């Protein structure tokens, strides 16, 4: 649950099969009322516990973290600005989907556990008329690739509810000062 001006931290995690995935992209489908913060806090990790693990044609193996899918490992590598895009305008607008382009992904970790890519980023709950108390904002992400026979995959939905402050126990007590009557004055007093 969030209020206007608060930041929501999203975590996107995608299981990666062994082999090569060409032109791998993750698109977060932010709803109107939330705005992607292009504030250099978007982090990425390639989770693998095998030698060589997961790598990217554009990022290399730099974001490699020792871990396996679903273990909650927190990414520590800042995702390069060149890997993040929107609609081409300056900055990101309310509800504009950030696209994380990771190039060709190669997974050479050939063991029995899972490998994954994790991206974490911030979104701002905006001060817009639609963000009223009780509004539920649903977010999901999509994974795309140019691999033959590949189809766009969509994640589960992550929801946040907008909350507005409630002020209770307001007490208004008027006070009066007794009127006084002047005892002296001149002819121009009223």
């Amino acid at each position: 649950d969030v209020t206007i001006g608060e930041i929501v931290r999203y975590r996107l995690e995608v299981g990666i099969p062994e082999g090569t995935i060409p032109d791998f992209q993750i698109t977060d489908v932010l709803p109107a009322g939330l705005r992607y913060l292009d504030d250099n806090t978007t982090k990425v990790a390639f989770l693998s516990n095998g030698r060589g693990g997961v790598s990217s044609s554009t990022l290399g193996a730099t974001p490699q973290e020792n871990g396996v899918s679903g273990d909650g490992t927190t990414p520590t590598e800042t995702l390069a600005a060149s890997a993040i895009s929107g609609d081409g305008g300056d900055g990101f607008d309310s509800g504009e989907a950030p696209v994380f382009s990771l190039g060709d992904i190669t997974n050479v970790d050939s063991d029995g556990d899972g490998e994954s890519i994790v991206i974490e980023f911030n979104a701002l709950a905006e001060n817009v008329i639609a963000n009223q108390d009780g509004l539920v904002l649903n977010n999901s992400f999509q994974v795309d690739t140019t691999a033959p026979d590949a189809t766009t995959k969509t994640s589960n939905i992550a929801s946040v509810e907008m909350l507005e402050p409630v002020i209770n126990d307001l007490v208004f007590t008027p006070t009066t000062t007794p009127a006084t009557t002047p005892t002296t004055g001149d002819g121009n007093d009223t």
Side-chain angles (χ1 to χ4, degrees), residues 2 4 24 38 40 47-49 76 82 86 99 111 119-120 129 134 138 145 147 150-151 154 160 174 176 184-185 187:
V2 298
I4 289 170
F24 187 83
D38 193 10
N40 211 31
L47 299 184
S48 170
N49 62 1
T76 58
S82 60
V99 179
D111 57 15
I119 294 177
E120 291 186 359
I129 195 68
N138 294 323
T145 176
T151 59
T154 301
V160 294
T176 58
T184 62

Side-chain angles (χ1 to χ4, degrees), residues 15 19 37 50-51 55 78 87 100 102 107 116 132 143 147 154 158 161 176 180 190:
L37 290 179
R51 292 195 337 199
S55 63
T78 300
D87 68 3
F100 308 106
L102 305 181
N107 178 4
S116 62
Q132 298 293 316
V143 176
T154 301
E161 182 178 351
T176 58
T180 59
T190 56

Side-chain angles (χ1 to χ4, degrees), residues 1-18:
D1 297 343
V2 298
T3 61
I4 289 170
E6 284 190 317
I7 294 174
V8 180
R9 185 81 175 162
Y10 282 107
R11 177 185 176 92
L12 318 177
E13 185 166 352
V14 180
I16 302 298
E18 294 170 9

Side-chain angles (χ1 to χ4, degrees), residues 7 54 62 72 93 115 126 147 170:
I7 294 174
V54 179
T62 302
D93 297 323
E115 294 76 44
E126 293 195 294
L170 291 178

